[in-house]
Amino acid sequence: MSNLQGKTLFITGASRGIGKAIALRAARDGANIIIAAKTTEPHPKLPGTIYTAAEEIEKAGGKALPCVVDIRDEQQIAAAVAKAVETFGGIDILVNNASAISLTGTLETPMKRFDLMHGINTRGTFACSQACIPYLKKASNPHILNNSPPLNMEARWFAPHVAYTMAKFGMSMCVLGMAEELRSDGIAVNAIWPRTVIATAAVQNLLGGDETIRGCRTPEIMADAAYAILTKPSREFTGNFCIDEEVLRGVGVTDFDKYQRVPGAELLPDYFI
């Protein structure tokens, strides 16, 4: 495949950040995007709604279907998948991007926050995959791509925030298992993770503010890397835990300065790398 023209992508958490960047990159090819997210009203600290994202996707050249979806609710997922199939005739790609984060220790993590992270990250990824797989089986080059890290089972990645690590690694375990489970169906299942921290609203609000943002790359690096993965033949590229920079180097990208939020600033490595 050379592009995503006419392909239908179901992207969770696509109203902002990395999810929206992936959507906009696909939209430039003329792809159809299901924006599966919760945000319908503007939030003071989290810019963007499913409707403003839809406008941007349409302007970029794609077709957008904004759907109000809390991925902890399988009925809402099923309704969005049904609407996607009714509107566009099928689903070619699922991007499990939605995620919740709390970098807190065991005593500092309320069970409500624990449940939120596991409900969105691990359970939501599993539920969305389950709902989309019957349609992916009918697609010509089907992909599932999870925004989750390599399975690095070192204590240093668990000790400071064991609940969050468990939830993100749950997404990665979906990759490990489903890639093999769905291999004979020709459905690729891969993970994408950034080498550096990415400048998103979550980073701005929860992980250090302006000082952290200085050392970030923009979401476009993840979008370009995701695009490179999603345009590969699904039967030939599956079960991989990809790092954005490595993916792009593999397709000939040499200029990474364009992705820096602040040119020349020292880049901050992301977790799990």
Side-chain angles (χ1 to χ4, degrees), residues 235-247:
R235 289 188 177 274
E236 299 175 16
F237 192 83
T238 188
N240 300 287
F241 293 94
C242 305
I243 303 300
D244 56 357
E245 184 178 314
E246 293 173 4
V247 170

Side-chain angles (χ1 to χ4, degrees), residues 19-252:
K20 187 178 78 170
I22 293 172
L24 290 173
R25 180 63 188 89
R28 281 159 47 189
D29 282 357
N32 310 314
I33 312 294
I34 295 89
I35 307 161
K38 293 192 302 178
T39 308
T40 58
E41 298 292 333
H43 187 284
K45 291 187 176 181
L46 299 171
T49 68
I50 59 174
Y51 306 114
T52 58
E55 290 178 9
E56 291 185 56
I57 287 164
E58 298 272 354
K59 287 179 182 177
K63 294 180 180 178
L65 178 64
C67 294
V68 181
V69 182
D70 181 340
I71 62 170
R72 294 171 293 177
D73 185 332
E74 54 265 40
Q75 292 182 331
Q76 291 186 29
I77 296 169
V81 167
K83 193 172 181 182
V85 173
E86 178 186 351
T87 304
F88 298 121
I91 295 173
D92 299 285
I93 292 166
L94 166 64
V95 179
N96 287 307
N97 167 73
S99 191
I101 184 171
S102 181
L103 299 179
T104 46
T106 300
L107 295 179
E108 294 74 38
T109 306
M111 289 312 300
K112 183 176 181 180
R113 177 62 58 172
F114 180 99
D115 291 342
L116 177 71
M117 289 191 286
H118 283 75
I120 292 175
N121 301 4
T122 304
R123 188 181 189 278
T125 291
F126 188 94
C128 288
S129 300
Q130 187 180 73
C132 289
I133 285 168
Y135 302 99
L136 294 171
K137 286 184 176 182
K138 302 173 185 178
S140 60
N141 193 49
H143 282 263
I144 297 174
L145 182 63
N146 294 355
N147 183 358
S148 66
L151 286 168
N152 187 339
M153 306 301 281
E154 295 180 28
R156 66 192 177 110
W157 295 126
F158 287 84
H161 37 70
V162 63
Y164 172 67
T165 300
M166 289 167 64
K168 288 304 288 188
F169 278 18
M171 297 175 70
S172 299
M173 288 179 184
C174 286
V175 171
L176 189 68
M178 291 181 192
E180 198 60 36
E181 178 187 1
L182 303 174
R183 187 181 296 274
S184 61
D185 295 306
I187 300 174
V189 188
N190 296 290
I192 181 72
W193 193 248
R195 178 166 297 288
T196 72
V197 181
I198 300 297
T200 64
V203 170
Q204 178 76 51
N205 296 330
L206 302 174
L207 303 179
D210 292 342
E211 190 56 37
T212 300
I213 289 290
R214 279 184 55 81
C216 289
R217 283 174 169 160
T218 64
E220 282 67 34
I221 190 170
M222 287 286 280
D224 289 349
Y227 181 88
I229 294 167
L230 298 174
T231 51
K232 292 180 184 292
S234 62
R235 289 188 177 274
E236 299 175 16
F237 192 83
T238 188
N240 300 287
F241 293 94
C242 305
I243 303 300
D244 56 357
E245 184 178 314
E246 293 173 4
V247 170
L248 293 174
R249 288 190 188 281
V251 295

